[in-house]
Amino acid sequence: MSEIVPNTIILGDAQEILKKIPDFSADLVLTDPPYFLDKLDADWDPQEVKNITQGQVIKNLPGGMRFDPDQGVRLQKWYQKISQDIFRVLKPGGFFLSFSSPRLVHRLAVAVEDAGFYIRDIFIWVYPEGRAKAQTLTRYTSVEDERLSYWKTPQVRGNYEPIVVAQKPPEGKLVDNFLSNGVGLFNFSERLEGNYFPSNVLMTEKMAFLPPIFLIPKPKKEERGDFNTHPTVKPLALLRYLIRLTTQKGAVVLDPFLGSGSTAIAALLEERKYIGIEINREYYQIAFRRIEKAKQEKAVNSTAQPLLL
Ligand SMILES: C[S@@+](CC[C@H](N)C(=O)[O-])C[C@H]1O[C@@H](n2cnc3c(N)ncnc32)[C@H](O)[C@@H]1O
């Protein structure tokens, strides 16, 4: 394969493709890797994932909540190898942001740290539509015991996703690194709704139990594309905000687990370059189509705000 250049998406396994990306060529890695819950691991199969998310395979536990203590161990081993390649590919001081799940984020953070990164923070993205996961025990036992009333499996409704914010160690002082490599500091002109200082809590919708700060616009229906069958599409506004916070215009944003292309589109709309890797042909094709559509809309609206947001 010839050298991978920016503004490309590649169909393949991140573990192999990352090795073909030159050293120090990315300013930011922003990614939403497989969470290693149920079948959502390093080689997930779209049909199996569809079955899980539509409740056709796991009859008793909702997708994502079948308890397997080895999942974390597997995630950590695998993500550490991925993170070592990302370390080489990133510029000194560059940020590495990974979405994760509340249940396994500790493993992911240690994997990233053990690959040489500094853990700077763990942001949380709070959303209202989490599914209730707890199960009533009477479904699993014929014992009738009133002590079991109101007691359910230890799974509350999921209302947030953590984002591990890691940084490749800078060369010398942060300020010198920023001036020579263009990365390593946060852009504090980036304010959230209400002119709030950047926060490690991010929300895409107003929620009754939280003050309406740290707000990022809610995704519009059309942004994912009606042809998009990917089960875990991230809001573009959230990705765009993270890109603006951590990079300057012209930067190269790499997503080794591109899914339906959201990170690449966010980079494109923010005048950054992108490199995306996706192992699954169906998702790769969806990403390709979404990116082409975003390019066309951007060209048409080059003097106005992009249509997508
Ligand atoms: C959580 S999804 C990303 C969704 C994406 N953020 C979006 O908005 O569409 C993770 C993606 O990683 C892909 N994937 C899993 N293992 C991979 C591997 N080894 N190399 C590259 N992609 C992989 C899956 O096919 C899936 O589409």
Side-chain angles (χ1 to χ4, degrees):
M1 186 194 278
S2 55
E3 190 176 283
I4 292 165
V5 290
N7 293 334
T8 325
I9 65 169
I10 303 125
L11 175 65
D13 185 337
Q15 263 179 308
E16 289 161 28
I17 307 293
L18 279 170
K19 303 217 178 299
K20 298 175 180 161
I21 300 183
D23 297 359
F24 314 121
S25 56
D27 296 87
L28 166 69
V29 175
L30 171 57
T31 194
D32 177 21
Y35 290 178
F36 275 66
L37 301 174
D38 293 328
K39 302 281 179 193
L40 305 177
D41 55 20
D43 47 8
W44 74 6
D45 170 67
Q47 190 49 48
E48 279 195 73
V49 172
K50 236 177 250 170
N51 290 344
I52 290 168
T53 50
Q54 292 168 6
Q56 290 164 12
V57 165
I58 300 169
K59 295 276 193 293
N60 295 324
L61 291 179
M65 289 315 294
R66 194 176 44 180
F67 195 78
D68 172 358
D70 290 336
Q71 286 169 328
V73 179
R74 284 192 283 122
L75 169 64
Q76 188 177 337
K77 271 195 197 146
W78 174 75
Y79 211 58
Q80 189 173 332
K81 280 198 217 137
I82 296 282
S83 302
Q84 281 160 353
D85 279 312
I86 288 174
F87 190 91
R88 180 186 58 73
V89 163
L90 260 179
K91 291 182 183 161
F95 292 102
F96 174 23
L97 272 53
S98 308
F99 284 82
S100 187
S101 70
R103 213 176 94 194
L104 296 182
V105 61
H106 59 296
R107 291 280 182 181
L108 186 136
V110 170
V112 170
E113 194 171 52
D114 285 354
F117 286 90
Y118 297 154
I119 301 296
R120 284 282 183 186
D121 208 329
I122 296 188
F123 291 1
I124 62 167
W125 168 42
V126 184
Y127 48 79
E129 71 272 18
R131 278 200 292 164
K133 289 171 175 155
Q135 300 287 303
T136 307
L137 296 156
T138 44
R139 286 177 66 175
Y140 305 105
T141 172
S142 51
V143 177
E144 285 192 21
D145 188 325
E146 65 177 22
R147 284 175 301 176
L148 291 178
S149 330
Y150 298 111
W151 292 90
K152 296 192 177 193
T153 54
Q155 298 154 324
V156 291
R157 186 192 297 276
N159 276 115
Y160 80 93
E161 275 184 34
I163 304 167
V164 174
V165 178
Q167 182 173 33
K168 178 167 173 173
E171 282 173 338
K173 291 185 180 148
L174 272 175
V175 63
D176 297 331
N177 185 87
F178 184 78
L179 295 174
S180 53
N181 293 307
V183 283
L185 300 174
F186 282 170
N187 175 7
F188 280 85
S189 70
E190 270 312 314
R191 295 296 165 116
L192 298 158
E193 187 171 293
N195 201 21
Y196 279 93
F197 206 66
S199 164
N200 55 11
V201 179
L202 303 162
M203 307 192 313
T204 37
E205 285 176 61
K206 291 192 171 122
M207 275 167 272
F209 60 95
L210 287 171
I213 51 175
F214 325 131
L215 211 60
I216 281 171
K218 192 181 162 187
K220 293 196 178 132
K221 257 197 187 148
E222 62 269 25
E223 101 170 24
R224 58 179 291 146
D226 50 13
F227 52 87
N228 191 349
T229 53
H230 201 289
T232 64
V233 182
K234 290 285 178 287
L236 286 180
L238 177 60
L239 301 174
R240 291 180 68 169
Y241 169 77
L242 294 170
I243 288 172
R244 292 195 304 270
L245 183 70
T246 53
T247 62
Q248 306 188 57
K249 284 194 177 165
V252 174
V253 180
L254 165 66
D255 185 349
F257 305 101
L258 187 67
S260 65
S262 309
T263 308
I265 297 169
L268 182 80
L269 296 177
E270 291 300 337
E271 320 280 332
R272 273 68 166 174
K273 301 181 188 110
Y274 58 84
I275 300 175
I277 307 170
E278 171 55 48
I279 201 167
N280 182 276
R281 188 174 292 276
E282 180 183 333
Y283 299 150
Y284 171 85
Q285 283 166 345
I286 292 169
F288 190 85
R289 202 169 150 189
R290 281 183 83 207
I291 294 167
E292 288 307 305
K293 189 166 167 267
K295 277 188 201 161
Q296 283 165 14
E297 286 174 353
K298 192 167 186 291
V300 171
N301 295 284
S302 56
T303 52
Q305 280 290 92
L307 260 189
L308 280 159
L309 283 176

